[in-house]
Amino acid sequence: MSAEEGDIQNMADLESKEVTGPSTVVAKEEQPLQTTQESTASEPAVSTHVTSFEFKEQAVVSQGMERGHWACNAEFIMAALAVTTDYSLIWRFPFLCYMNGGVVFMILYAIFLLLIGVPIFYMDLSLGQFCGRGPAHIWNFSPLLRGVGVGMVVVNAVIHPMYGVIPSWGMYYLFQSGSTALPWSTCSNSWNTPSCVEGQTLPFNASGNSYVFGSPSTPGLEYFNNRVLQISSGIEDPGGLQWELVGCRFGTVVLIFAALFWGVKVIGKVVFVTVPLIFVLLLTLFIRGMTLPGSLEGIRYLLYPSLGRLLYKETWSSAFLSAMYTTGMATGIISTLASYKRFTSSALRDSFIVYGVTLGLGIVTSVMMFGFFGALAQIKGVGINEVVASGPGAVFVAMAEMIAHLPVPNFWSFIFFFMLLLMGVNIQVLGAEVVITAVLDSLPRRSRLIRLAITAAICGGSFLLTLPYLAKGGVYFFTMVDVSVMRLSFFILGFLQFLTVGWIYGMDQFSRDIKMMTGLRPPVVLKFIWCFVLPLLILLLFLLSLIQHYRLTYESYSFPVWAEVMGWFISLLPLAPIPVFVVVAIIFTGNQPPMSPKPDWGPADPAYQAEYDRQRSRNITLTERIMAVFRT
């Protein structure tokens, strides 16, 4: 017998032993082979069922480490909730309720979150889960507009250092919670001014996001401005670094790196612990707030229906934009998280789960905050409209002062700022993962060392880029970037996403992709919203945002013209990749049609590639594309 014949006989004997083994063992061990995007032409994809023995052999010969998956679908749910329930629930959503009719706004928000938020989330989830790539590579389905996906990565790269200051502030306040007396509770400190008066509340300006100066100050405000920020006179006076905040930022970066360096296997465990812990802390604060004298007055103020606000377009646009912001639209975070899901995982069900929990937490948080606002108003003997705040002032001034009046204030201060720190670190981890995933997806192979090096570089770069925000004039820089970075990209990237998926890639093809994963096509109502409703509404709101331009201010300070111009340049940064990739797609792609999917675009599970190639849409007319929207 020749050597070749001997090998064939040995393989036949092995297969015979596996087939004739106990059926219960085979049923337990046989699983579909989960190959990754690293399969090359020299290693054809295997679509048959294999035993655990064969899987191990495949793992040995594969190049680099696997891309990885969430250990269970619950980890993805927790990660998605970390995105939709960040600190904007505390310092932005309650104030929007206050400004736009209380419970009337909450009802509008719930409706828009269902009709608009769920479709946005569902599309992002489906795109990432189908191709198993981050946003920069998802857009290989239309190379001409790949700059849209790259722009989403740029958004995260810009906002990651900026939002890094918030958990830094939270960590600073957390450490100060261990003081014998909370330092923002009195006016007898070295940073206080003669105008500081305990038990006094400053009136807010018309926008509700800053205090009106020239009136008596409060210990909470002076502690935040004079001690924590050591604020300078303006953006033209950056001053030196606030080294205590630099140290806190370094501490948060270490925590972020520890959660990121090993990939989704560690990230999943982190969010699986921190997100439920945030919910427990929030519920604890909610119960405490309900027991405070004056809290019911604050809640009554929130829930009193002001039906007249329905006549104002600002109420409708604020509810609509809040629903879109909640889903992380135009940031690529959800699609990145979904790229680590199993190919056949649920999609629409997960979207509704996240919707329900997010809405419930938004209501609970608003009631909690207004309970505290009502109690603070009673303590100070003023109307509740004089203590309601948004932005950092809601957390680091109003809430800090309220906590200082509670029994055992150090304990409640620790609970509140620990919750804020967890929220900040979670969203920082997930935002950094978008950039890390974009880099790793561009490399020919993966390894633990490469992942470690890229994570260290991104975390280190984010730390260095945060330093301007931690200077004494950093809060002005923070305000400028916060207002500017999503001013254009939020609308333009979102509009182009729905336009490209619905009308260029095609709703018929996208529906078949979703059916391939989940067994069900998306409902007609969702396809109609994707193709018609969302593009038109986003375009309308974008035009309105250009008409309604406001001067950039922070408290009583108005930004100079050069800072306004710089803000517009920052607004254009996420859009810069779009024309670059248009040129690349037209000039450098050879015979590749610039608006057709690239050869490497397809299902994340190679076992479905042949099916995808068979059903791929080609040369579809506009009429057929329209009819596909209404096809069940």
Side-chain angles (χ1 to χ4, degrees):
M1 181 183 295
S2 66
E4 181 178 357
E5 291 173 343
D7 291 341
I8 293 174
Q9 182 62 39
N10 290 337
M11 292 176 63
D13 293 341
L14 177 60
E15 291 176 357
S16 176
K17 290 178 182 179
E18 291 174 346
V19 172
T20 58
S23 59
T24 55
V25 176
V26 174
K28 179 179 180 180
E29 291 185 342
E30 287 192 339
Q31 297 293 337
L33 175 63
Q34 299 293 333
T35 54
T36 67
Q37 295 289 345
E38 295 156 2
S39 301
T40 63
S42 61
E43 295 174 340
V46 180
S47 61
T48 58
H49 289 268
V50 296
T51 65
S52 58
F53 171 80
E54 292 173 318
F55 182 87
K56 291 177 182 177
E57 289 296 312
Q58 175 71 13
V60 171
V61 299
S62 64
Q63 297 295 321
M65 74 174 189
E66 294 183 358
R67 193 174 189 275
H69 296 283
W70 301 108
C72 61
N73 201 51
E75 289 185 351
F76 168 76
I77 297 293
M78 292 301 170
L81 288 172
V83 176
T84 61
T85 58
D86 64 353
Y87 30 65
S88 64
L89 275 181
I90 294 178
W91 76 20
R92 186 171 180 270
F93 185 71
F95 180 76
L96 289 175
C97 293
Y98 160 73
M99 289 292 293
N100 294 286
V103 72
V104 171
F105 177 84
M106 296 173 72
I107 294 173
L108 286 178
Y109 171 78
I111 294 173
F112 282 133
L113 193 61
L114 174 63
L115 299 181
I116 302 299
V118 170
I120 294 172
F121 187 94
Y122 183 38
M123 174 178 280
D124 284 342
L125 189 161
S126 299
L127 287 171
Q129 181 176 322
F130 179 75
C131 73
R133 300 286 187 92
H137 293 80
I138 286 174
W139 286 81
N140 284 343
F141 69 75
S142 182
L144 185 72
L145 292 171
R146 190 183 173 191
V148 175
V150 176
M152 295 178 183
V153 178
V154 173
V155 167
N156 285 277
V158 173
I159 67 176
H160 194 270
M162 176 192 67
Y163 283 137
V165 303
I166 299 174
S168 303
W169 294 341
M171 180 174 282
Y172 185 87
Y173 272 78
L174 183 67
F175 287 147
Q176 296 302 313
S177 299
S179 304
T180 304
L182 295 180
W184 56 84
S185 60
T186 66
C187 291
S188 58
N189 303 286
S190 59
W191 56 81
N192 291 124
T193 66
S195 62
C196 180
V197 178
E198 297 180 23
Q200 175 71 37
T201 300
L202 296 181
F204 278 93
N205 63 8
S207 64
N209 59 8
S210 60
Y211 290 94
V212 175
F213 279 72
S215 57
S217 185
T218 67
L221 180 64
E222 292 201 349
Y223 179 77
F224 183 60
N225 281 338
N226 301 341
R227 178 65 184 90
V228 180
L229 303 180
Q230 299 181 19
I231 192 169
S232 67
S233 58
I235 195 171
E236 61 277 356
D237 178 22
L241 292 173
Q242 218 292 44
W243 288 103
E244 293 165 311
L245 292 181
V246 172
C248 291
R249 176 56 179 162
F250 181 79
T252 60
V253 168
V254 170
L255 295 176
I256 294 165
F257 175 80
L260 283 169
F261 81 98
W262 207 253
V264 292
K265 290 185 178 180
V266 173
I267 296 175
K269 305 301 182 292
V270 170
V271 295
F272 204 79
V273 172
T274 56
V275 173
L277 180 57
I278 289 171
F279 296 167
V280 171
L281 297 177
L282 186 63
L283 182 60
T284 303
L285 290 167
F286 173 83
I287 295 172
R288 184 67 185 95
M290 296 303 96
T291 63
L292 296 174
S295 61
L296 293 181
E297 187 62 30
I299 297 170
R300 189 180 299 113
Y301 196 93
L302 168 68
L303 299 181
Y304 181 79
S306 180
L307 298 178
R309 291 299 307 180
L310 292 174
L311 302 177
Y312 293 85
K313 65 179 184 297
E314 292 82 5
T315 302
W316 294 84
S317 62
S318 295
F320 184 83
L321 289 172
S322 296
M324 292 198 297
Y325 276 119
T326 298
T327 62
M329 191 186 82
T331 63
I333 297 181
I334 297 301
S335 57
T336 298
L337 300 179
S339 70
Y340 293 101
K341 295 185 68 181
R342 301 287 177 181
F343 185 74
T344 56
S345 300
S346 60
L348 186 58
R349 183 193 65 188
D350 292 353
S351 303
F352 279 108
I353 291 173
V354 173
Y355 157 78
V357 176
T358 301
L359 178 60
L361 285 174
I363 295 173
V364 169
T365 303
S366 297
V367 173
M368 178 199 76
M369 291 296 291
F370 271 83
F372 279 109
F373 287 151
L376 183 61
Q378 179 169 307
I379 290 172
K380 294 178 175 291
V382 297
I384 194 171
N385 60 305
E386 296 188 33
V387 296
V388 176
S390 70
V395 174
F396 298 104
V397 177
M399 280 298 296
E401 287 188 354
M402 180 61 240
I403 289 171
H405 289 88
L406 295 177
V408 198
N410 301 72
F411 171 78
W412 294 108
S413 177
F414 179 87
I415 292 293
F416 180 76
F417 290 109
F418 183 55
M419 179 185 71
L420 191 71
L421 176 64
L422 292 178
M423 286 181 170
V425 170
N426 277 348
I427 197 65
Q428 285 269 287
V429 167
L430 302 178
E433 182 60 31
V434 176
V435 184
I436 294 171
T437 296
V439 176
L440 289 176
D441 286 347
S442 302
L443 301 179
R445 76 184 295 274
R446 295 167 177 266
S447 71
R448 297 293 183 192
L449 183 60
I450 292 174
R451 168 89 193 192
L452 182 67
I454 292 173
T455 303
I458 290 175
C459 289
S462 179
F463 172 74
L464 294 177
L465 291 174
T466 307
L467 294 180
Y469 300 100
L470 302 178
K472 295 178 181 179
V475 69
Y476 303 107
F477 193 39
F478 173 88
T479 302
M480 179 184 69
V481 177
D482 185 35
V483 170
S484 303
V485 68
M486 297 290 282
R487 178 162 44 192
L488 299 177
S489 62
F490 180 77
F491 298 103
I492 295 177
L493 297 181
F495 174 78
L496 290 176
Q497 174 175 328
F498 296 109
L499 181 70
T500 307
V501 174
W503 298 105
I504 297 178
Y505 184 64
M507 191 49 57
D508 186 53
Q509 182 62 62
F510 187 52
S511 298
R512 288 201 293 263
D513 295 346
I514 294 176
K515 184 179 180 180
M516 186 185 298
M517 293 188 299
T518 66
L520 295 172
R521 286 176 174 266
V524 172
V525 64
L526 292 185
K527 293 190 288 183
F528 181 81
I529 291 172
W530 286 335
C531 293
F532 295 103
V533 177
L534 278 169
L536 292 176
L537 287 179
I538 291 173
L539 184 60
L540 176 62
L541 289 173
F542 174 61
L543 296 176
L544 289 176
S545 70
L546 295 179
I547 296 173
Q548 299 173 343
H549 175 66
Y550 301 98
R551 284 295 307 274
L552 193 58
T553 62
Y554 176 77
E555 296 181 345
S556 61
Y557 173 78
S558 295
F559 283 71
V561 175
W562 65 265
E564 296 265 8
V565 174
M566 181 182 290
W568 281 103
F569 274 108
I570 294 172
S571 301
L572 294 173
L573 275 179
L575 305 179
I578 297 178
V580 172
F581 279 90
V582 168
V583 173
V584 170
I586 294 175
I587 298 178
F588 299 106
T589 55
N591 296 326
Q592 165 68 39
M595 300 181 72
S596 297
K598 296 177 70 174
D600 62 347
W601 165 261
D605 189 342
Y608 292 87
Q609 185 64 49
E611 179 184 348
Y612 175 78
D613 292 337
R614 286 194 304 269
Q615 67 175 20
R616 184 170 167 181
S617 300
R618 293 177 176 87
N619 301 322
I620 303 299
T621 65
L622 177 60
T623 302
E624 290 173 326
R625 294 180 187 275
I626 295 175
M627 294 301 296
V629 176
F630 302 96
R631 186 179 300 126
T632 57

